[in-house]
Amino acid sequence: MTASTKIAVFASGSGSNFQAIQEAIDRGELHAKVELVVTDKPGAFVVTRAENFGIPVLALNPKEFVSKAAYETAIIEALHKYNVKWIVLAGYMRLISDVLLAAYPQRIVNIHPSLLPAFPGKDAIGQAMNHGVKLTGVTVHFVDEGMDTGPIIAQVAVPVIEGNREATEAEIHKQEHLLYTKALQQLLQ
Ligand code: GRF
């Protein structure tokens, strides 16, 4: 990989992981360039964050496409236009289909707030707390067609603070931001 690998970040929500990635790039700790932020939620806060950094946003409503394949094909066209080499999912709340997977084989990564394979899917932090586990964490993994099932790249454990979801969540997000930038730097080198 070159010094500055071109990436796209996909997000559906707040975009704090996107922001952490961009800040790591600005500090020179991550040798990448976010060419495009892709969102399926045009009103998501990640759009504001991207605009603040002057990064182009592709906001497409999947419902406006005849099929998931057509939706992903439109995304791929934009990714090719920006010469994007890697896709970084950061709170993107959709399964990736074989159309995108075929266009970016072994080049799509995701971050998930649990120690996978435990607690895949939605609200992983709530799932962990409801199960009463003492230790949860964060996982960075390659994306396949399953829900949070691809090969694991990096993990960090985070203790559950019993009865305090807010504090547990804050620590998980802090660790996510550190782990994702570190894992990406190793992957993209
Ligand atoms: C993170 O917890 C990430 O692990 C999960 O979705 C959340 C996104 O948070 N996939 P943010 O939008 O980056 O703040």
CSV table of all heavy atoms in Angstrom, one decimal, residues 85-126:
chain,number,residue,atom,x,y,z
A,85,LYS,N,-9.9,2.4,-2.5
A,85,LYS,CA,-9.3,1.1,-2.5
A,85,LYS,C,-9.8,0.2,-1.4
A,85,LYS,O,-9.8,-1.0,-1.5
A,85,LYS,CB,-7.7,1.2,-2.3
A,85,LYS,CG,-7.0,2.0,-3.4
A,85,LYS,CD,-7.2,1.3,-4.8
A,85,LYS,CE,-6.4,2.0,-5.9
A,85,LYS,NZ,-7.1,1.8,-7.2
A,86,TRP,N,-10.2,0.9,-0.3
A,86,TRP,CA,-10.7,0.1,0.9
A,86,TRP,C,-12.0,0.8,1.4
A,86,TRP,O,-12.2,2.0,1.3
A,86,TRP,CB,-9.7,0.1,2.0
A,86,TRP,CG,-8.5,-0.8,1.9
A,86,TRP,CD1,-7.5,-0.6,1.1
A,86,TRP,CD2,-8.3,-2.0,2.6
A,86,TRP,NE1,-6.6,-1.6,1.2
A,86,TRP,CE2,-7.1,-2.5,2.2
A,86,TRP,CE3,-9.1,-2.7,3.5
A,86,TRP,CZ2,-6.6,-3.7,2.6
A,86,TRP,CZ3,-8.5,-3.9,4.0
A,86,TRP,CH2,-7.3,-4.4,3.6
A,87,ILE,N,-12.9,-0.1,1.9
A,87,ILE,CA,-14.2,0.4,2.5
A,87,ILE,C,-14.1,0.1,4.0
A,87,ILE,O,-13.9,-1.0,4.4
A,87,ILE,CB,-15.4,-0.3,1.8
A,87,ILE,CG1,-15.5,0.0,0.4
A,87,ILE,CG2,-16.7,0.0,2.6
A,87,ILE,CD1,-16.6,-0.8,-0.4
A,88,VAL,N,-14.4,1.2,4.7
A,88,VAL,CA,-14.3,1.1,6.2
A,88,VAL,C,-15.7,1.4,6.7
A,88,VAL,O,-16.2,2.5,6.6
A,88,VAL,CB,-13.3,2.2,6.7
A,88,VAL,CG1,-13.4,2.2,8.2
A,88,VAL,CG2,-11.9,1.9,6.2
A,89,LEU,N,-16.4,0.3,7.2
A,89,LEU,CA,-17.7,0.5,7.8
A,89,LEU,C,-17.6,0.9,9.2
A,89,LEU,O,-16.8,0.4,10.0
A,89,LEU,CB,-18.5,-0.9,7.8
A,89,LEU,CG,-18.6,-1.6,6.4
A,89,LEU,CD1,-19.5,-2.8,6.6
A,89,LEU,CD2,-19.1,-0.7,5.3
A,90,ALA,N,-18.3,2.0,9.6
A,90,ALA,CA,-18.2,2.6,10.9
A,90,ALA,C,-19.7,2.9,11.3
A,90,ALA,O,-20.1,4.1,11.2
A,90,ALA,CB,-17.3,3.8,10.9
A,91,GLY,N,-20.4,1.9,11.9
A,91,GLY,CA,-21.8,2.2,12.2
A,91,GLY,C,-22.7,2.2,11.0
A,91,GLY,O,-23.7,3.0,11.0
A,92,TYR,N,-22.4,1.5,10.0
A,92,TYR,CA,-23.2,1.4,8.8
A,92,TYR,C,-24.2,0.2,9.0
A,92,TYR,O,-23.8,-0.9,9.2
A,92,TYR,CB,-22.3,1.1,7.6
A,92,TYR,CG,-23.1,1.0,6.3
A,92,TYR,CD1,-23.7,2.2,5.7
A,92,TYR,CD2,-23.2,-0.2,5.5
A,92,TYR,CE1,-24.4,2.1,4.5
A,92,TYR,CE2,-23.8,-0.2,4.3
A,92,TYR,CZ,-24.4,0.9,3.8
A,92,TYR,OH,-25.1,0.9,2.6
A,93,MET,N,-25.5,0.5,9.1
A,93,MET,CA,-26.5,-0.4,9.6
A,93,MET,C,-27.1,-1.3,8.5
A,93,MET,O,-28.3,-1.5,8.6
A,93,MET,CB,-27.5,0.4,10.4
A,93,MET,CG,-27.0,1.2,11.6
A,93,MET,SD,-26.0,0.2,12.7
A,93,MET,CE,-27.4,-0.6,13.6
A,94,ARG,N,-26.3,-1.7,7.6
A,94,ARG,CA,-26.9,-2.5,6.5
A,94,ARG,C,-25.9,-3.7,6.2
A,94,ARG,O,-24.7,-3.5,6.3
A,94,ARG,CB,-27.0,-1.8,5.2
A,94,ARG,CG,-28.2,-0.9,5.2
A,94,ARG,CD,-28.4,-0.1,4.0
A,94,ARG,NE,-29.5,0.8,4.3
A,94,ARG,CZ,-30.7,0.4,4.2
A,94,ARG,NH1,-31.1,-0.7,3.7
A,94,ARG,NH2,-31.7,1.2,4.7
A,95,LEU,N,-26.5,-4.8,5.9
A,95,LEU,CA,-25.6,-5.9,5.4
A,95,LEU,C,-25.1,-5.6,4.0
A,95,LEU,O,-25.8,-5.0,3.2
A,95,LEU,CB,-26.4,-7.2,5.4
A,95,LEU,CG,-26.7,-7.9,6.7
A,95,LEU,CD1,-27.6,-9.1,6.5
A,95,LEU,CD2,-25.4,-8.3,7.4
A,96,ILE,N,-23.9,-6.0,3.8
A,96,ILE,CA,-23.2,-5.7,2.5
A,96,ILE,C,-23.6,-7.0,1.6
A,96,ILE,O,-23.4,-8.1,2.1
A,96,ILE,CB,-21.7,-5.6,2.7
A,96,ILE,CG1,-21.4,-4.4,3.6
A,96,ILE,CG2,-21.0,-5.5,1.3
A,96,ILE,CD1,-21.8,-3.1,3.1
A,97,SER,N,-24.0,-6.7,0.4
A,97,SER,CA,-24.3,-7.9,-0.5
A,97,SER,C,-23.2,-8.3,-1.3
A,97,SER,O,-22.1,-7.6,-1.3
A,97,SER,CB,-25.5,-7.6,-1.4
A,97,SER,OG,-25.1,-7.0,-2.6
A,98,ASP,N,-23.4,-9.4,-2.1
A,98,ASP,CA,-22.3,-9.9,-2.9
A,98,ASP,C,-21.8,-8.9,-4.0
A,98,ASP,O,-20.7,-9.0,-4.5
A,98,ASP,CB,-22.6,-11.3,-3.5
A,98,ASP,CG,-24.0,-11.2,-4.2
A,98,ASP,OD1,-24.6,-10.2,-4.2
A,98,ASP,OD2,-24.3,-12.3,-4.8
A,99,VAL,N,-22.7,-7.9,-4.3
A,99,VAL,CA,-22.3,-7.0,-5.3
A,99,VAL,C,-21.1,-6.1,-4.9
A,99,VAL,O,-20.1,-6.0,-5.5
A,99,VAL,CB,-23.5,-6.0,-5.7
A,99,VAL,CG1,-23.1,-4.9,-6.6
A,99,VAL,CG2,-24.6,-6.9,-6.3
A,100,LEU,N,-21.2,-5.6,-3.7
A,100,LEU,CA,-20.1,-4.8,-3.1
A,100,LEU,C,-18.9,-5.7,-2.7
A,100,LEU,O,-17.8,-5.3,-2.9
A,100,LEU,CB,-20.6,-4.0,-1.9
A,100,LEU,CG,-20.7,-2.5,-2.0
A,100,LEU,CD1,-21.2,-1.9,-0.7
A,100,LEU,CD2,-19.3,-1.9,-2.4
A,101,LEU,N,-19.3,-6.8,-2.2
A,101,LEU,CA,-18.2,-7.8,-1.7
A,101,LEU,C,-17.3,-8.2,-2.9
A,101,LEU,O,-16.1,-8.3,-2.8
A,101,LEU,CB,-18.8,-9.0,-1.1
A,101,LEU,CG,-19.3,-8.8,0.3
A,101,LEU,CD1,-20.2,-10.0,0.8
A,101,LEU,CD2,-18.2,-8.5,1.3
A,102,ALA,N,-18.0,-8.4,-4.1
A,102,ALA,CA,-17.2,-8.8,-5.3
A,102,ALA,C,-16.4,-7.6,-5.8
A,102,ALA,O,-15.3,-7.9,-6.4
A,102,ALA,CB,-18.2,-9.3,-6.4
A,103,ALA,N,-16.9,-6.4,-5.6
A,103,ALA,CA,-16.1,-5.2,-6.1
A,103,ALA,C,-14.9,-4.9,-5.2
A,103,ALA,O,-13.9,-4.4,-5.7
A,103,ALA,CB,-17.0,-4.0,-6.2
A,104,TYR,N,-15.0,-5.3,-4.0
A,104,TYR,CA,-13.9,-5.0,-3.0
A,104,TYR,C,-13.6,-6.3,-2.2
A,104,TYR,O,-13.7,-6.3,-1.0
A,104,TYR,CB,-14.3,-3.8,-2.1
A,104,TYR,CG,-14.2,-2.5,-2.8
A,104,TYR,CD1,-15.3,-2.0,-3.6
A,104,TYR,CD2,-13.1,-1.8,-2.7
A,104,TYR,CE1,-15.1,-0.8,-4.3
A,104,TYR,CE2,-12.9,-0.6,-3.4
A,104,TYR,CZ,-14.0,-0.1,-4.2
A,104,TYR,OH,-13.8,1.1,-4.8
A,105,PRO,N,-13.1,-7.3,-2.9
A,105,PRO,CA,-12.8,-8.6,-2.1
A,105,PRO,C,-11.7,-8.4,-1.1
A,105,PRO,O,-10.6,-7.8,-1.4
A,105,PRO,CB,-12.4,-9.5,-3.2
A,105,PRO,CG,-12.0,-8.7,-4.4
A,105,PRO,CD,-12.8,-7.4,-4.3
A,106,GLN,N,-12.0,-8.8,0.1
A,106,GLN,CA,-11.0,-8.6,1.2
A,106,GLN,C,-10.5,-7.2,1.5
A,106,GLN,O,-9.5,-6.9,2.0
A,106,GLN,CB,-9.7,-9.5,1.0
A,106,GLN,CG,-10.0,-11.0,0.8
A,106,GLN,CD,-10.6,-11.6,2.1
A,106,GLN,OE1,-10.2,-11.4,3.2
A,106,GLN,NE2,-11.7,-12.3,1.9
A,107,ARG,N,-11.4,-6.3,1.1
A,107,ARG,CA,-11.1,-4.9,1.2
A,107,ARG,C,-12.2,-4.1,1.9
A,107,ARG,O,-12.3,-2.9,1.8
A,107,ARG,CB,-10.8,-4.2,-0.2
A,107,ARG,CG,-9.6,-4.7,-0.9
A,107,ARG,CD,-8.3,-4.2,-0.3
A,107,ARG,NE,-7.2,-4.6,-1.0
A,107,ARG,CZ,-6.5,-5.8,-0.8
A,107,ARG,NH1,-7.0,-6.6,0.1
A,107,ARG,NH2,-5.5,-6.1,-1.5
A,108,ILE,N,-13.0,-4.8,2.7
A,108,ILE,CA,-14.1,-4.2,3.4
A,108,ILE,C,-13.9,-4.6,4.9
A,108,ILE,O,-13.9,-5.8,5.2
A,108,ILE,CB,-15.5,-4.5,2.9
A,108,ILE,CG1,-15.6,-4.3,1.4
A,108,ILE,CG2,-16.6,-3.7,3.7
A,108,ILE,CD1,-17.0,-4.7,0.8
A,109,VAL,N,-13.9,-3.6,5.8
A,109,VAL,CA,-13.7,-3.9,7.2
A,109,VAL,C,-14.8,-3.3,8.0
A,109,VAL,O,-15.4,-2.3,7.6
A,109,VAL,CB,-12.3,-3.5,7.8
A,109,VAL,CG1,-11.2,-4.4,7.1
A,109,VAL,CG2,-12.0,-2.0,7.5
A,110,ASN,N,-15.0,-3.8,9.2
A,110,ASN,CA,-16.1,-3.3,10.1
A,110,ASN,C,-15.6,-3.3,11.5
A,110,ASN,O,-14.7,-4.0,11.9
A,110,ASN,CB,-17.3,-4.2,10.0
A,110,ASN,CG,-18.5,-3.7,10.8
A,110,ASN,OD1,-18.8,-2.5,10.8
A,110,ASN,ND2,-19.2,-4.6,11.5
A,111,ILE,N,-16.2,-2.4,12.3
A,111,ILE,CA,-16.0,-2.4,13.8
A,111,ILE,C,-17.3,-2.8,14.5
A,111,ILE,O,-18.4,-2.3,14.1
A,111,ILE,CB,-15.4,-1.1,14.2
A,111,ILE,CG1,-14.9,-1.2,15.7
A,111,ILE,CG2,-16.3,0.1,14.0
A,111,ILE,CD1,-13.9,-0.2,16.1
A,112,HIS,N,-17.2,-3.6,15.5
A,112,HIS,CA,-18.4,-4.0,16.2
A,112,HIS,C,-18.1,-3.9,17.7
A,112,HIS,O,-17.1,-4.3,18.2
A,112,HIS,CB,-18.7,-5.4,15.8
A,112,HIS,CG,-20.0,-5.9,16.5
A,112,HIS,ND1,-21.2,-5.5,16.0
A,112,HIS,CD2,-20.2,-6.7,17.5
A,112,HIS,CE1,-22.2,-6.1,16.8
A,112,HIS,NE2,-21.6,-6.8,17.7
A,113,PRO,N,-19.1,-3.4,18.5
A,113,PRO,CA,-18.9,-3.2,19.9
A,113,PRO,C,-19.1,-4.4,20.8
A,113,PRO,O,-19.9,-4.4,21.7
A,113,PRO,CB,-19.8,-2.0,20.3
A,113,PRO,CG,-21.0,-2.3,19.4
A,113,PRO,CD,-20.4,-2.8,18.1
A,114,SER,N,-18.4,-5.5,20.5
A,114,SER,CA,-18.5,-6.7,21.4
A,114,SER,C,-17.2,-7.5,21.0
A,114,SER,O,-16.6,-7.3,20.0
A,114,SER,CB,-19.7,-7.6,21.2
A,114,SER,OG,-19.6,-8.3,20.0
A,115,LEU,N,-17.0,-8.6,21.9
A,115,LEU,CA,-15.9,-9.5,21.5
A,115,LEU,C,-16.6,-10.6,20.7
A,115,LEU,O,-17.1,-11.6,21.2
A,115,LEU,CB,-15.3,-10.1,22.8
A,115,LEU,CG,-14.5,-9.2,23.7
A,115,LEU,CD1,-14.0,-9.9,24.9
A,115,LEU,CD2,-13.3,-8.7,22.9
A,116,LEU,N,-16.6,-10.4,19.4
A,116,LEU,CA,-17.2,-11.4,18.5
A,116,LEU,C,-16.4,-12.7,18.6
A,116,LEU,O,-15.3,-12.7,18.9
A,116,LEU,CB,-17.1,-10.9,17.0
A,116,LEU,CG,-18.0,-9.7,16.7
A,116,LEU,CD1,-17.7,-9.2,15.3
A,116,LEU,CD2,-19.5,-10.1,16.8
A,117,PRO,N,-17.1,-13.9,18.5
A,117,PRO,CA,-18.5,-14.0,17.9
A,117,PRO,C,-19.6,-13.8,18.9
A,117,PRO,O,-20.7,-14.0,18.6
A,117,PRO,CB,-18.5,-15.5,17.4
A,117,PRO,CG,-17.5,-16.2,18.4
A,117,PRO,CD,-16.5,-15.2,18.7
A,118,ALA,N,-19.3,-13.3,20.1
A,118,ALA,CA,-20.4,-13.0,21.1
A,118,ALA,C,-21.1,-11.7,20.6
A,118,ALA,O,-20.5,-10.8,20.2
A,118,ALA,CB,-19.8,-12.8,22.5
A,119,PHE,N,-22.4,-11.8,20.8
A,119,PHE,CA,-23.3,-10.6,20.6
A,119,PHE,C,-23.1,-9.9,19.3
A,119,PHE,O,-22.9,-8.7,19.2
A,119,PHE,CB,-23.0,-9.6,21.8
A,119,PHE,CG,-23.1,-10.2,23.1
A,119,PHE,CD1,-22.0,-10.1,24.0
A,119,PHE,CD2,-24.2,-11.0,23.5
A,119,PHE,CE1,-22.1,-10.7,25.3
A,119,PHE,CE2,-24.2,-11.7,24.7
A,119,PHE,CZ,-23.1,-11.5,25.6
A,120,PRO,N,-23.3,-10.6,18.2
A,120,PRO,CA,-23.4,-9.9,16.9
A,120,PRO,C,-24.7,-9.1,16.7
A,120,PRO,O,-25.6,-9.3,17.6
A,120,PRO,CB,-23.4,-11.1,15.9
A,120,PRO,CG,-24.0,-12.2,16.6
A,120,PRO,CD,-23.6,-12.0,18.1
A,121,GLY,N,-24.8,-8.3,15.7
A,121,GLY,CA,-26.1,-7.7,15.4
A,121,GLY,C,-26.3,-6.4,16.2
A,121,GLY,O,-25.3,-5.8,16.7
A,122,LYS,N,-27.6,-6.0,16.3
A,122,LYS,CA,-27.9,-4.7,16.9
A,122,LYS,C,-27.7,-4.7,18.4
A,122,LYS,O,-27.9,-5.8,19.1
A,122,LYS,CB,-29.4,-4.4,16.6
A,122,LYS,CG,-29.5,-3.9,15.2
A,122,LYS,CD,-30.9,-3.3,15.0
A,122,LYS,CE,-31.0,-2.8,13.5
A,122,LYS,NZ,-32.4,-2.8,13.0
A,123,ASP,N,-27.4,-3.5,19.0
A,123,ASP,CA,-27.3,-3.3,20.4
A,123,ASP,C,-26.5,-4.3,21.1
A,123,ASP,O,-26.9,-4.9,22.1
A,123,ASP,CB,-28.7,-3.2,21.0
A,123,ASP,CG,-28.6,-2.6,22.5
A,123,ASP,OD1,-27.6,-2.0,22.8
A,123,ASP,OD2,-29.5,-2.9,23.3
A,124,ALA,N,-25.3,-4.5,20.6
A,124,ALA,CA,-24.3,-5.5,21.2
A,124,ALA,C,-24.0,-5.1,22.7
A,124,ALA,O,-23.8,-6.0,23.5
A,124,ALA,CB,-23.0,-5.5,20.4
A,125,ILE,N,-24.0,-3.8,23.0
A,125,ILE,CA,-23.7,-3.4,24.4
A,125,ILE,C,-24.8,-3.8,25.3
A,125,ILE,O,-24.6,-4.4,26.4
A,125,ILE,CB,-23.4,-1.9,24.4
A,125,ILE,CG1,-22.2,-1.6,23.6
A,125,ILE,CG2,-23.1,-1.5,25.9
A,125,ILE,CD1,-21.9,-0.1,23.4
A,126,GLY,N,-26.0,-3.6,24.9
A,126,GLY,CA,-27.2,-4.0,25.6
A,126,GLY,C,-27.3,-5.5,25.8
A,126,GLY,O,-27.6,-6.0,26.9
